[in-house]
Amino acid sequence: MTGSVRALSRKMTLHFELTGANAAVGVASGAAASPRSGRLVLDRSLNSEASAPASISPSASTLAPAAIGLETPTFLKYTRHGLQPHLVREVAAELSDMPACTRVQLEDFLEDDGSACGQHDAGLHNFVFLDRSEVLLLDTLDPTVTRRVGKSTNSFLAIDSEGGTKRLTPEVFAQLVDRLKPDIIIPPADYIEEPLPSLTQGKRISKSVTRSAKWLDESIAKSVYPSAVFAAVMGSHSPELRDISAKKLLARSDVAGYVFNDVSLALPFERKLQLVQHSLAQLDASKPRYMVGASAPDAALRAILGGIDLVDSSYPYAVTEQGFASTYVFGGEGAAGEIADASAAAAAAGRLDLWQESMFNDFGPLVEGCSCFTCRSHHRAYIHHLLMTKEMLSTVLLQIHNMHWYKGFFADIRSSLARATLAEDAQRFLERYSSSSEAFGELETLATQENSPTTKIQRKRHAEPL
């Protein structure tokens, strides 16, 4: 098993092994910006004291594997307030073969400058009713929020909320980690709010690099629970300062993976990816890489081509919030080998708009041949009716389909990697959708909206912000 490495974060073991052609080459000689397949395994055998939700059967709790594996590249399941959007636990069970990793952001649980869930001794798995067979990653900020107004200081990370700015210090973060017992943590970092990068001077960026390194030190030193640590690579749009941040992280033995979070950096995605690849050249290639904000299919694919292992699944949620169903096609087929409805105009746009009047009497499935619960059980006309009457079931059914399709997209990418045809397949995919102005812009639209399709407040879709 060449190309295998173990990264120890205190006592929790995170094992990342390159597979396929990557393993044959080995991590040391692999290009930092090349696509790669691997297997990420979290070993929590030293971490068996955390309990499962009380309503889960004892057998399910005790038989939960100490080691949990993820085939990469893949995605972390996005949540809001600890729940996959529109999917309660029983409904989410309809989605089989999903990656066993869920991300939760701490800002969803902050009340005042603390957290109610931090008073829950049984941990975050229990608090959000998440099975212990899932890897739980705790981040600080929601990746779908790209504009913030709170100003951080050397002492705390400012987090916006309806009740005002909340202050998250490394000490409070460490206390919450010990209470919540997550498997992987991303400590607070001083991400810069940059409407115009040219207005952000080097001194401010330098301060964010220094401040983030300080918070990382304090967060690790003050916590006892042995969560694996993914550390943010800082430096904003300055290659020189990104080098400084990367070299500091390279020297650390207590960091198990790297995070790239440039969602607030007002640059084209391709430029952001160039900055990430610049940093990758300075980092340990044997450790997993998570890129926040690369969730849309075209962005995720470009990130994977550039050597990223993990993204999040906020994109399917954004599609659902518009009342759309995903129809994008990778290679010659749809999700995980399912035949896409190539004759429909929706296939070229990458999604089907269920608000359209033509859906009123369309009794076909969302996508012909799709095996998800929604496509097996319901038709376009019914979901159109649910949207028009603002029934919550509309977003439930759409989210089931959109998550199923997203899962298949990543399965297709991994298959393409295994066949050594990813470059050709990716080029066809990107060319197919580059001419569509409507493809994959749902996350940008979501950032300007406050209401779900099922709320009673009318909103303008495909238009200017409210």
Side-chain angles (χ1 to χ4, degrees):
M1 294 192 297
T2 58
S4 174
V5 68
R6 287 182 180 271
L8 292 178
S9 180
R10 292 166 288 177
K11 296 181 181 178
M12 189 84 74
T13 303
L14 196 68
H15 177 63
F16 184 65
E17 176 183 294
L18 296 176
T19 58
N22 305 102
V25 173
V27 296
S29 57
S34 299
R36 58 192 202 165
S37 58
R39 181 171 174 79
L40 182 67
V41 180
L42 182 89
D43 183 359
R44 61 159 92 105
S45 58
L46 299 176
N47 178 26
S48 60
E49 76 280 3
S51 61
S55 54
I56 298 178
S57 65
S59 59
S61 173
T62 56
L63 294 179
I68 304 171
L70 299 170
E71 300 299 325
T72 64
T74 191
F75 60 90
L76 314 180
K77 293 193 286 289
Y78 171 75
T79 66
R80 292 176 71 88
H81 304 283
L83 178 73
Q84 289 190 68
H86 308 301
L87 301 178
V88 296
R89 180 188 176 93
E90 292 75 15
V91 174
E94 283 290 338
L95 293 161
S96 60
D97 301 322
M98 299 292 285
C101 188
T102 297
R103 62 153 287 140
V104 174
Q105 48 269 1
L106 194 54
E107 74 169 307
D108 285 344
F109 298 96
L110 288 181
E111 299 88 19
D112 296 323
D113 294 328
S115 172
C117 64
Q119 307 301 314
H120 190 65
D121 290 331
L124 189 55
H125 275 89
N126 184 288
F127 189 83
V128 301
F129 198 59
L130 185 68
D131 195 285
R132 289 282 295 165
S133 62
E134 288 271 329
V135 175
L136 195 155
L137 179 145
L138 180 66
D139 199 352
T140 53
L141 303 177
D142 188 328
T144 67
V145 179
T146 59
R147 290 291 173 261
R148 299 177 179 274
V149 298
K151 302 299 181 183
S152 300
T153 71
N154 287 332
S155 302
F156 63 83
L157 171 68
I159 298 179
D160 301 332
S161 75
E162 293 183 359
T165 300
K166 308 305 180 188
R167 297 171 295 178
L168 180 65
T169 66
E171 182 177 9
V172 169
F173 179 80
Q175 291 171 354
L176 290 171
V177 168
D178 290 342
R179 287 274 190 168
L180 300 178
K181 305 176 177 66
D183 297 307
I184 302 172
I185 59 172
I186 301 176
D190 183 25
Y191 305 114
I192 298 176
E193 173 69 21
E194 295 180 302
L196 291 173
S198 60
L199 299 180
T200 305
Q201 302 301 315
K203 185 177 180 180
R204 173 66 184 95
I205 302 174
S206 178
K207 182 184 293 185
S208 77
V209 172
T210 302
R211 185 179 288 169
S212 298
K214 172 178 175 287
W215 289 352
L216 177 62
D217 286 337
E218 293 176 359
S219 297
I220 293 176
K222 294 178 183 294
S223 62
V224 176
Y225 192 76
S227 302
V229 176
F230 278 20
V233 181
M234 306 301 292
S236 186
H237 56 82
S238 168
E240 296 78 14
L241 291 170
R242 293 187 81 97
D243 286 347
I244 292 174
S245 175
K247 289 175 181 178
K248 287 182 178 180
L249 294 180
L250 180 63
R252 303 189 69 120
S253 61
D254 52 2
V255 168
Y258 305 119
V259 178
F260 301 92
N261 187 341
D262 295 305
V263 295
S264 295
L265 182 57
L267 288 174
F269 181 79
E270 283 300 320
R271 177 55 183 153
K272 292 182 184 180
L273 190 56
Q274 290 173 1
L275 291 170
V276 168
Q277 292 169 343
H278 178 88
S279 297
L280 286 178
Q282 313 294 326
L283 295 167
D284 186 345
S286 70
K287 295 183 180 182
R289 308 143 171 188
Y290 171 30
M291 187 172 181
V292 179
S295 182
D298 55 342
L301 184 56
R302 287 187 171 98
I304 290 167
L305 289 170
I308 293 297
D309 305 303
L310 302 166
V311 299
D312 61 74
S313 67
S314 54
Y315 176 76
Y317 165 64
V319 176
T320 295
E321 287 294 284
Q322 305 309 310
F324 298 160
S326 292
T327 62
Y328 48 88
V329 179
F330 185 78
E333 299 178 323
E338 295 172 2
I339 303 301
D341 187 3
S343 63
R351 82 285 186 281
L352 178 70
D353 186 348
L354 274 300
W355 291 95
Q356 292 180 342
E357 291 183 8
S358 61
M359 299 293 109
F360 174 76
N361 58 353
D362 189 333
F363 303 109
L366 296 177
V367 177
E368 195 68 44
C370 177
S371 63
C372 78
F373 170 81
T374 302
C375 289
R376 296 196 321 265
S377 308
H378 299 285
H379 47 67
R380 297 174 177 183
Y382 180 56
I383 297 175
H384 171 77
H385 162 74
L386 293 174
L387 284 170
M388 297 301 291
T389 56
K390 300 181 177 61
E391 287 290 341
M392 292 176 61
L393 182 58
S394 63
T395 48
V396 172
L397 294 176
L398 285 173
Q399 186 72 358
I400 289 173
H401 170 80
N402 290 330
M403 284 297 292
H404 172 86
W405 204 257
Y406 199 66
K407 173 200 71 176
F409 175 67
F410 277 83
D412 289 342
I413 289 176
R414 290 192 296 272
S415 296
S416 181
L417 259 173
R419 296 192 306 267
T421 61
L422 182 61
E424 296 83 356
D425 293 340
Q427 181 177 358
R428 283 194 296 270
F429 180 86
L430 295 171
E431 287 177 351
R432 178 183 298 133
Y433 295 106
S434 63
S435 60
S436 172
S437 61
E438 297 179 339
F440 311 135
E442 290 84 358
L443 279 165
E444 288 78 6
T445 305
L446 177 69
T448 70
Q449 296 174 332
E450 299 177 357
N451 306 300
S452 171
T454 56
T455 63
K456 295 184 178 180
I457 302 175
Q458 287 286 350
R459 67 180 183 187
K460 294 182 180 179
R461 298 176 303 106
H462 324 302
E464 68 277 9
L466 291 174

